[in-house]
Amino acid sequence: MKFTRLFTAVSGAILLTSATFTHAATDLVIATVNNGHMVEMQKLSKHFEDANPDIKLKWVTLEEGVLRQRVTTDIATKGGQFDVMTIGMYEAPIWGKKGWIKDLTFDDAYDVGDILPAIRDGLSADGKLYAAPFYGESSMLMYRKDLVEKAGMDMPDNPTWDHVAEVAAKITDKDNGIYGICLRGKPGWGDNMALITTMANTFGGQWFDMDWKPQLESQPWKDAVGFYVDLLGKYGPPGSAANSFNEILALYNEGKCGMWVDATIAASFITDPAQSKVADKVAFAQAPTKVTPKGANWLWAWALAIPESSKHSAEAQKFIEWSTSKDYINLVAKEEGWNKVPTGTRASTYANADFQKAAVFASAEKIAIDSANPNDSTLPKSPYTGVQFAAIPEFQAIGIAVGQQMSSALAGKMSVDDALKASQVSAEREMQRSGYFKK
C-alpha cells in the first residue's frame, strides 16, 4: 500500500517535471540595429509572445557599425550566438551562396510577390530569398522648405549637387545654430561610404574598373570627395566626422539642419510631430546628381535572416514571418498610426490610401527606391553589382578602411588627395591578395 502510494507520487512528480520541461519557452536571440523602427518592433513584440507563449524573445540591440561587426564575426565563426540576425542587401546574397544563412520559404498568405522587386531581388541569390525585409530604403534629399523659401531659393524635384551647395550657402546661419547641410561622416562601409559612394557614382566614378582595379585616385573620386569635404567644412555642423544616421536625425529634429541627404526611412521620423520640432516644415526631393544620375541614390534593406548555426530555426522563421508581414504593418498602423509603419518593402503599403494620406514622403520615397539600379549604377561599365557597395566578400574590409581615410580627411587630419592615395593602396592590396588582379 505504502509502496503503491510512493510509486504514484514519484510517477506524478516525474510527469509534472516532464510536462514542465516540455512547455519551457524557447529563448530566441535576435540581433538588431538601434533604429527607430526596430525599437518599435521590440515594443510590439509582446503581441508575438502572447500568440506564441512557447517562444521568449531576447534582444541584442546595437549601433549599426557594431551590429555589422558582431553578426559578421558570429556567422563566419559559426558562433551560434543569434537565432535571428538583422542584415542587409550586401550580406544576404553573399552569405546565402556560402550556406551561412538559411533560405526562407513562406506560405501564400505572406505574399512574397507583394515585396517590392528591387528589395526582393537584392535579398535573394539563385532564385532563393535569404532574408525578409523589415524595412527598405533608398536615399533622398530632405530639406527645410521654410528656410529655402526665406532665402529666396527653390528646390527642384531632381536637384544637382551644385544647386544644393548654393542653397546650403544661403540658408546656413551658424549664429543661430542652423547648418545648411548635414551628411554622414562616421567611418564605415555602410556609413559614410554609403553616401560618398553615391556621390562618386554621380560624379562619374566607380569602385573598380572591368579588370577589378580600384579607381579611388581617379578624377571623379577626387572631385566627389573634395566637394563633400568642402561642403561640410563650410556649411555642416561641427564634429561631422563622427556623425551617423541617429546623430544627424537628432540634429534635424532639433531644427539644426537645413538639408540632409540620407536614407528615405528618415522621412517618417522627421515628419513626426512627436519627435521633430520641424515636422511641418519638411519637403523632399530626389538625391542630388552631378555628371550622371546613375548611382546617385542608394538601395538598401534592413532584413531578418536565420544563421545556419541557429538551433531554433523553426521558431526563428515564425518570428520573421510575423515581423515582416502585412499584418505587422497593419498592427503598427493600428497602435501608432500609418505615419510610423516600416516602409520600403511592400507594394500594398504604398497602395493604401491611409498611408498615402499620412506619409507626405511616400511618393518621393517610392520613386527613389524604384529608380535605384544595382546592375547599372556607374557611368563607366563596372564588374560588380550594388549601388553604394560592391557585392563581393572583400568589399567590407575595403569599405571600412576607405571610410576611415575619408573621415580623417573630413576632420582635417589629412588632405583629400592623401586620403584617396592611402585608400587606393589598401584597396589594391586587398584585391591582389584575393586574386582579382596582379600588380
Side-chain angles (χ1 to χ4, degrees):
M1 185 77 170
K2 289 181 180 179
F3 177 79
T4 303
R5 288 198 197 99
L6 179 61
F7 179 79
T8 302
V10 172
S11 297
I14 291 172
L15 287 170
L16 180 62
T17 302
S18 176
T20 303
F21 178 79
T22 301
H23 291 94
T26 296
D27 287 338
L28 203 66
V29 183
I30 304 167
T32 194
V33 67
N34 63 344
N35 290 349
H37 285 305
M38 271 59 177
V39 173
E40 185 67 29
M41 175 172 61
Q42 292 177 49
K43 188 170 75 172
L44 294 176
S45 64
K46 65 180 185 294
H47 293 274
F48 176 82
E49 289 183 317
D50 288 345
N52 299 275
D54 56 332
I55 302 174
K56 183 171 179 55
L57 305 179
K58 292 196 170 182
W59 300 90
V60 179
T61 306
L62 303 165
E63 185 271 329
E64 66 178 72
V66 178
L67 173 78
R68 288 187 171 110
Q69 293 172 358
R70 287 279 301 275
V71 299
T72 299
T73 299
D74 189 72
I75 201 81
T77 60
K78 299 181 181 179
Q81 295 181 59
F82 310 113
D83 299 298
V84 176
M85 290 178 165
T86 304
I87 63 173
M89 287 185 167
Y90 170 69
E91 300 94 345
I94 294 175
W95 293 1
K97 287 181 178 179
K98 286 179 175 287
W100 290 354
I101 53 179
K102 298 179 183 291
D103 61 293
L104 303 176
T105 55
F106 298 104
D107 59 24
D108 291 343
Y110 180 82
D111 195 2
V112 171
D114 185 48
I115 299 174
L116 298 175
I119 301 296
R120 186 175 67 243
D121 292 346
L123 297 171
S124 301
D126 301 325
K128 295 179 179 179
L129 184 68
Y130 283 100
F134 182 70
Y135 71 79
E137 64 185 40
S138 183
S139 54
M140 65 181 177
L141 174 67
M142 297 159 277
Y143 66 96
R144 288 274 301 278
K145 57 187 177 183
D146 59 323
L147 297 180
V148 173
E149 290 170 0
K150 183 180 178 181
M153 302 288 284
D154 67 340
M155 184 62 69
D157 291 337
N158 293 280
T160 64
W161 274 110
D162 290 331
H163 184 72
V164 165
E166 290 178 18
V167 173
K170 292 280 189 179
I171 65 177
T172 296
D173 183 3
K174 293 183 179 180
D175 290 341
N176 289 304
I178 297 175
Y179 301 94
I181 191 162
C182 296
L183 300 171
R184 295 192 193 201
K186 188 173 183 178
W189 70 264
D191 228 316
N192 64 341
M193 293 316 300
L195 173 75
I196 292 172
T197 299
T198 63
M199 293 184 71
N201 290 341
T202 195
F203 272 71
Q206 61 187 154
W207 270 98
F208 309 102
D209 67 13
M210 290 302 292
D211 294 321
W212 287 106
K213 291 184 179 179
Q215 299 296 300
L216 295 165
E217 287 189 285
S218 64
Q219 196 60 48
W221 272 90
K222 290 181 178 181
D223 292 343
V225 177
F227 183 91
Y228 162 81
V229 170
D230 184 65
L231 186 67
L232 279 179
K234 289 179 178 176
Y235 314 121
S240 285
N243 285 346
S244 183
F245 179 88
N246 284 330
E247 289 80 9
I248 299 175
L249 177 62
L251 287 170
Y252 202 101
N253 283 344
E254 283 296 315
K256 296 183 180 297
C257 296
M259 292 180 289
W260 182 20
V261 181
D262 210 299
T264 53
I265 202 71
S268 61
F269 305 132
I270 63 177
T271 56
D272 178 10
Q275 55 185 301
S276 173
K277 293 180 179 178
V278 294
D280 61 340
K281 299 178 175 63
V282 181
F284 307 94
Q286 294 303 297
T289 60
K290 178 68 174 180
V291 175
T292 175
K294 287 186 176 185
N297 55 301
W298 72 59
L299 184 67
W300 185 254
W302 280 118
L304 304 180
I306 306 171
E308 278 290 342
S309 56
S310 172
K311 296 179 176 64
H312 308 297
S313 57
E315 293 87 350
Q317 168 96 16
K318 186 178 288 189
F319 173 77
I320 290 175
E321 186 165 352
W322 173 80
S323 58
T324 62
S325 66
K326 295 178 187 178
D327 287 343
Y328 176 81
I329 291 172
N330 290 328
L331 174 64
V332 177
K334 179 182 176 182
E335 297 276 332
E336 303 294 336
W338 275 102
N339 62 317
K340 292 188 178 181
V341 303
T343 61
T345 59
R346 291 182 171 272
S348 56
T349 302
Y350 292 92
N352 186 291
D354 292 327
F355 172 71
Q356 292 174 8
K357 184 179 179 180
V360 295
F361 55 85
S363 176
E365 178 182 60
K366 182 71 160 43
I367 290 170
I369 291 172
D370 289 345
S371 67
N373 185 356
N375 298 310
D376 186 21
S377 62
T378 59
L379 188 58
K381 191 175 181 182
S382 296
Y384 56 88
T385 59
V387 181
Q388 76 279 19
F389 58 83
I392 56 173
E394 294 77 16
F395 179 78
Q396 185 167 346
I398 292 171
I400 290 170
V402 175
Q404 290 168 342
Q405 301 295 338
M406 298 302 101
S407 188
S408 292
L410 181 59
K413 296 178 181 178
M414 62 196 310
S415 70
V416 169
D417 283 351
D418 286 345
L420 288 172
K421 183 176 182 180
S423 297
Q424 178 73 15
V425 170
S426 64
E428 283 188 2
R429 185 186 306 119
E430 184 67 29
M431 294 300 279
Q432 288 171 24
R433 185 168 56 195
S434 299
Y436 282 83
F437 73 94
K438 293 181 181 179
K439 189 86 171 180

